[in-house]
Amino acid sequence: MDSTWLIHLLALCAHSMAVPSDDKKSEKPTLKEKKLTEKATTLADRSTILAFNLYQVMSKDKSLENILVSPVVVASSLGLVSLGGKDTTASQAKALLSASKLNDDYIHSGLSELLTDVSNATARNVTWKLGSRLYGPSSISFVEDFVQNSKKHYNCEHLKINFRDKRSALKSINEWAAQTTDGKLPEVTKDVQKTDGALIVNAMFFKPHWDEKFHHEMVDKRGFMVSRSYTVSVPMMHRTGLYKYYADEAEKLQIVEMPLAHKLSSLIIIMPNHVESLERVEKLLTREQLQSWLGKLKQRSVAISLPKVSLEVSHDIQKHLADLGLTEAVDKNKADLSKISGKKDLYLSNVFHAVALELDTEGNPFNTDLYGREEIRNPKLFYVDHPFLFLVKDSKTNSVLFIGRLVRPKGDKMHDEL
């Protein structure tokens, strides 16, 4: 494995010499940056606090392996709860957003603007398909004012669903999620235990478009060590380029930041040096620690080997939000969501947050001139063949668009060779 980077580098150099001149790196389109209002930047900051709070709670859940959530979308779901709730039910949702002192219009318009900006797939040159729905029991009626405002601010659809026919209800939810994500997310859930409450369902598909692509021919099968005794076979893509990199020798981990197209966001990977449970690294993961690490990143030559994977994860985050303090909305006897239905006849029984993420080779053409320059020599090896943490960070607001961990990618178990 110690010569892997050299092989990749030589292959890339050979490729660059064969590339015709018109395949030079294209000029990036000049985007007219729309400046966000103070409301949006404030809510971006609060959603980042939520990102780390929620991840810390979820990382302690022993039933979860891979984790993937979009804190901005979760913040929007909390905005929806505060829009439909009264008294403590609403104030707890605002507290989770660290927004107790902000007025309702400020919160809803700020979250709306933030969500619209960061999920603008065209401007950002990424694929991000996102849908949100609030399902209510067939016995309730939706208040028109709530329907209009939740559509306006959170682009949330509303549907009454008959859980007396559970099979049909589940089929309807899963088919909607599949349609929303172009088939990338075929299933949100196999079952719903509580069928007398409201369900918030977020379904999304996110596919980064690299600022500099991986070459599609530089993909091969490699082992990904889920643990020291269990390895799966995954396609691994390779490239050498200039990236921001930092090795934390004291904590025995490496960090690399990979810009996405138009450089409006980036993928940050935090990986322990060796195969281990991520628990140790997760305990370090705070907003302040991340800022400290990012401040130490230096641009240098890095040979990256990264799994070419698709990851589908569906979490019912209702219990995790309750752990953070959203206790009333999820309690049948205490919830006051009367702004949704006009009566205190509703509680939040589930919050399904389902994401499909795809990492592949696609991106902008790379700068072929780079491979003849001195600065590309002696790259650091960043070989992603064991569990790691990752974030997609918005460059405009520094908010966290996605946060997660990959512990077990899809792949066949590899047998030890004798």
Side-chain angles (χ1 to χ4, degrees), residues 146-274:
F146 173 79
V147 169
Q148 288 179 359
N149 281 317
S150 55
K151 181 74 176 171
K152 172 186 168 185
H153 294 303
Y154 302 114
N155 199 25
C156 182
E157 302 171 7
H158 305 79
L159 203 69
K160 289 198 275 190
I161 195 161
N162 179 15
F163 269 109
R164 287 178 188 154
D165 184 356
K166 189 187 273 194
R167 182 180 292 181
S168 177
L170 289 169
K171 185 169 181 272
S172 171
I173 292 169
N174 289 327
E175 283 180 352
W176 166 79
Q179 187 178 7
T180 299
T181 59
D182 287 348
K184 300 292 184 179
L185 196 67
E187 188 174 76
V188 168
T189 184
K190 286 182 167 64
D191 194 17
V192 174
Q193 298 297 325
K194 299 172 183 173
T195 57
D196 56 347
L199 280 68
I200 294 175
V201 184
N202 305 130
M204 68 206 88
F205 168 52
F206 185 78
K207 180 180 177 180
H209 186 91
W210 304 110
D211 187 57
E212 290 195 350
K213 66 182 179 183
F214 289 75
H215 194 276
H216 67 278
E217 290 181 359
M218 291 192 65
V219 178
D220 56 10
K221 285 283 188 181
R222 298 288 176 102
F224 185 98
M225 292 177 281
V226 176
S227 66
R228 290 187 182 278
S229 59
Y230 191 89
T231 301
V232 296
S233 174
V234 298
M236 193 81 82
M237 48 193 184
H238 316 277
R239 82 175 306 270
T240 300
L242 296 179
Y243 293 101
K244 289 183 176 178
Y245 172 89
Y246 174 64
D248 188 329
E249 302 296 343
E251 297 297 348
K252 301 182 178 61
L253 54 85
Q254 302 175 77
I255 301 166
V256 74
E257 182 172 10
M258 305 173 70
L260 306 182
H262 299 343
K263 297 187 177 177
L264 292 180
S265 53
S266 59
L267 176 71
I268 298 162
I269 297 175
I270 305 166
M271 182 177 69
N273 292 346
H274 306 291

Side-chain angles (χ1 to χ4, degrees), residues 103-393:
N103 71 48
D104 290 351
D105 287 342
Y106 191 104
I107 293 169
H108 301 314
S109 56
L111 283 173
S112 174
E113 187 186 346
L114 174 65
L115 186 64
T116 301
D117 186 84
V118 299
S119 63
N120 185 337
T122 305
R124 289 168 175 271
N125 199 12
V126 297
T127 300
W128 190 350
K129 298 180 183 298
L130 167 64
S132 294
R133 265 190 177 180
L134 186 136
Y135 290 91
S138 50
S139 57
I140 69 145
S141 299
F142 291 115
V143 174
E144 188 57 34
D145 187 55
F146 173 79
V147 169
Q148 288 179 359
N149 281 317
S150 55
K151 181 74 176 171
K152 172 186 168 185
H153 294 303
Y154 302 114
N155 199 25
C156 182
E157 302 171 7
H158 305 79
L159 203 69
K160 289 198 275 190
I161 195 161
N162 179 15
F163 269 109
R164 287 178 188 154
D165 184 356
K166 189 187 273 194
R167 182 180 292 181
S168 177
L170 289 169
K171 185 169 181 272
S172 171
I173 292 169
N174 289 327
E175 283 180 352
W176 166 79
Q179 187 178 7
T180 299
T181 59
D182 287 348
K184 300 292 184 179
L185 196 67
E187 188 174 76
V188 168
T189 184
K190 286 182 167 64
D191 194 17
V192 174
Q193 298 297 325
K194 299 172 183 173
T195 57
D196 56 347
L199 280 68
I200 294 175
V201 184
N202 305 130
M204 68 206 88
F205 168 52
F206 185 78
K207 180 180 177 180
H209 186 91
W210 304 110
D211 187 57
E212 290 195 350
K213 66 182 179 183
F214 289 75
H215 194 276
H216 67 278
E217 290 181 359
M218 291 192 65
V219 178
D220 56 10
K221 285 283 188 181
R222 298 288 176 102
F224 185 98
M225 292 177 281
V226 176
S227 66
R228 290 187 182 278
S229 59
Y230 191 89
T231 301
V232 296
S233 174
V234 298
M236 193 81 82
M237 48 193 184
H238 316 277
R239 82 175 306 270
T240 300
L242 296 179
Y243 293 101
K244 289 183 176 178
Y245 172 89
Y246 174 64
D248 188 329
E249 302 296 343
E251 297 297 348
K252 301 182 178 61
L253 54 85
Q254 302 175 77
I255 301 166
V256 74
E257 182 172 10
M258 305 173 70
L260 306 182
H262 299 343
K263 297 187 177 177
L264 292 180
S265 53
S266 59
L267 176 71
I268 298 162
I269 297 175
I270 305 166
M271 182 177 69
N273 292 346
H274 306 291
V275 184
E276 61 172 276
S277 159
L278 290 174
E279 188 177 354
R280 177 184 69 84
V281 181
E282 286 171 333
K283 284 178 180 173
L284 301 172
L285 188 63
T286 63
R287 187 183 189 183
E288 295 71 28
Q289 180 60 69
L290 181 67
Q291 285 305 115
S292 172
W293 281 328
L294 295 182
K296 294 172 182 175
L297 293 174
K298 295 279 189 291
Q299 183 153 298
R300 59 156 302 141
S301 177
V302 184
I304 292 178
S305 294
L306 185 66
K308 180 178 180 288
V309 292
S310 58
L311 177 64
E312 296 91 36
V313 180
S314 184
H315 303 297
D316 183 1
I317 60 171
Q318 187 242 42
K319 61 182 177 181
H320 303 115
L321 295 175
D323 287 342
L324 290 172
L326 194 76
T327 56
E328 197 163 287
V330 303
D331 188 321
K332 188 175 181 177
N333 299 314
K334 293 180 180 177
D336 186 349
L337 293 170
S338 51
K339 285 187 181 178
I340 297 178
S341 63
K343 296 187 278 188
K344 285 180 68 174
D345 58 352
L346 209 54
Y347 74 108
L348 198 57
S349 57
N350 300 91
V351 182
F352 288 113
H353 190 86
V355 192
L357 171 74
E358 215 169 85
L359 297 178
D360 74 3
T361 59
E362 292 174 27
N364 295 333
F366 44 75
N367 182 0
T368 53
D369 292 338
L370 179 66
Y371 296 103
R373 294 185 351 219
E374 183 68 29
E375 60 192 313
I376 202 67
R377 296 185 182 179
N378 300 317
K380 284 285 184 182
L381 182 64
F382 195 82
Y383 192 80
V384 186
D385 68 344
H386 55 277
F388 60 92
L389 310 181
F390 64 94
L391 304 94
V392 177
K393 184 175 74 71

